[in-house]
Amino acid sequence: MKLVTWNINSIRARTQRLVGWLDANRPDVVCLQETKVEDAQFPLEAVEKLGYRAVIFGQKSYNGVAILSTAELADVTRGFGDDPADDEARVIAATTHGIRVVNVYVPNGQDLTSDRYPYKLAWYGRLRAFLERTTSPEKPVVVCGDMNVTADDHDVWSPEAWRDQIHCSAPEREALAGLRAWGLDDVFRVKRPEGGVWSWWDYRGVSFFKDQGLRIDHILTTRVLTAACAACVIDRSARKGQDASDHAPVVATFGL
DNA sequence: ATGGCCGCTATGAGCGGA
């Protein structure tokens, strides 16, 4: 069972790129973020032609998440269902291939002085509360997506340049650690503890060419899935060339 | 120190992204 998370940065601008990658890699479950499109305009036909079913939660211009699967997608939830309700489409969950899949696009936060920063930190707390009331760490659960936080300096090309910047501040890292403490493993880190591998590179300048990136896209798994994980890699090749997303897909393979 | 690129919008400049 192969699962991928990928911040696609507009699914309409990236449809051909996505289709080509799916055709070549044939994952069973695909978690997309930043689709940037209302549900009526989502390119369903293009993914259905490849054999995927899809559940989507989008909005105009910003955010938007979707889960594609080669199998049935059951018990679909959109948003946290908490109070007050969020007007940003950032989380969708479904059960497929025997796994509860929670796909998230965590708020960016802008910078440490922005009012988006406390919103981001609070969002992590709401995500953990959502997990607590909807599932269990004893079950096979994947929480994945663009988490907009580096776990530690091993996920940062230049810890000096990024020190206390957004994605690298201690409160953000504590928020991510607090989520993991519910009962989730950072499965890429388990496989590649030495770090130095990125999932995002800035469009500006020569950051990709010089491999100056961050690892902010994560696949977190409960114990039973961590034990079943055969491999977890970041497909850097998908960041190359014209019309690439600024994020690369993260792929986990499970012996299920 | 700043911005550099990209996608979006009842566009043509400004915002958000990270």
Side-chain angles (χ1 to χ4, degrees):
Chain A
M1 215 291 294
K2 189 192 287 188
L3 177 145
V4 56
T5 178
W6 196 1
N7 180 320
I8 200 70
N9 187 15
S10 172
I11 194 165
R12 286 178 294 175
R14 217 76 59 203
T15 303
Q16 288 316 306
R17 240 7 242 211
L18 174 65
V19 164
W21 193 90
L22 293 177
D23 198 31
N25 291 275
R26 294 284 166 184
D28 300 285
V29 180
V30 183
C31 294
L32 300 171
Q33 304 89 35
E34 278 208 276
T35 53
K36 294 188 174 179
V37 67
E38 290 176 299
D39 293 354
Q41 276 78 51
F42 190 97
L44 265 183
E45 279 188 19
V47 296
E48 285 174 346
K49 201 177 295 181
L50 289 163
Y52 290 100
R53 312 176 197 203
V55 290
I56 59 184
F57 182 36
Q59 66 183 91
K60 185 190 284 187
S61 306
Y62 300 110
N63 311 314
V65 284
I67 305 174
L68 317 182
S69 177
T70 55
E72 180 191 2
L73 290 146
D75 301 319
V76 181
T77 62
R78 294 168 176 82
F80 288 135
D82 59 3
D83 185 45
D86 216 319
D87 59 0
E88 303 185 12
R90 294 184 175 277
V91 55
I92 188 169
T95 301
T96 189
H97 289 280
I99 297 173
R100 187 64 181 164
V101 178
V102 181
N103 176 26
V104 302
Y105 175 48
V106 175
N108 174 293
Q110 292 189 332
D111 64 70
L112 274 57
T113 66
S114 168
D115 58 6
R116 300 295 289 166
Y117 184 69
Y119 172 71
K120 177 181 192 173
L121 297 179
W123 205 90
Y124 268 99
R126 293 167 64 196
L127 176 55
R128 173 154 176 169
F130 173 78
L131 295 174
E132 286 170 354
R133 68 175 180 272
T134 59
T135 185
S136 158
E138 306 304 314
K139 295 178 176 175
V141 180
V142 170
V143 181
C144 68
D146 179 354
M147 308 224 174
N148 270 320
V149 176
T150 55
D152 56 34
D153 281 350
H154 290 102
D155 291 342
V156 186
W157 71 272
S158 172
E160 296 72 27
W162 281 88
R163 192 165 310 287
D164 295 325
Q165 300 299 306
I166 197 71
H167 307 112
C168 299
S169 72
E172 289 170 273
R173 288 173 172 177
E174 286 161 11
L176 178 60
L179 176 65
R180 286 200 311 269
W182 175 74
L184 296 165
D185 299 310
D186 176 351
V187 79
F188 183 85
R189 176 59 63 88
V190 169
K191 299 296 183 187
R192 291 290 297 272
E194 71 277 18
V197 184
W198 330 122
S199 66
W200 169 86
W201 299 259
D202 200 312
Y203 277 128
R204 293 170 291 186
V206 290
S207 67
F208 182 69
F209 182 73
K210 296 178 80 170
D211 202 27
Q212 298 175 339
L214 304 176
R215 189 176 72 97
I216 53 177
D217 300 272
H218 302 297
I219 297 176
L220 309 180
T221 56
T222 52
R223 184 177 49 191
V224 61
L225 288 179
T226 308
C229 184
C232 186
V233 300
I234 298 176
D235 184 5
R236 193 177 184 283
S237 71
R239 178 62 176 79
K240 295 179 179 175
Q242 291 295 307
D243 303 318
S245 170
D246 46 352
H247 294 252
V250 185
V251 187
T253 309
F254 302 94
L256 297 174

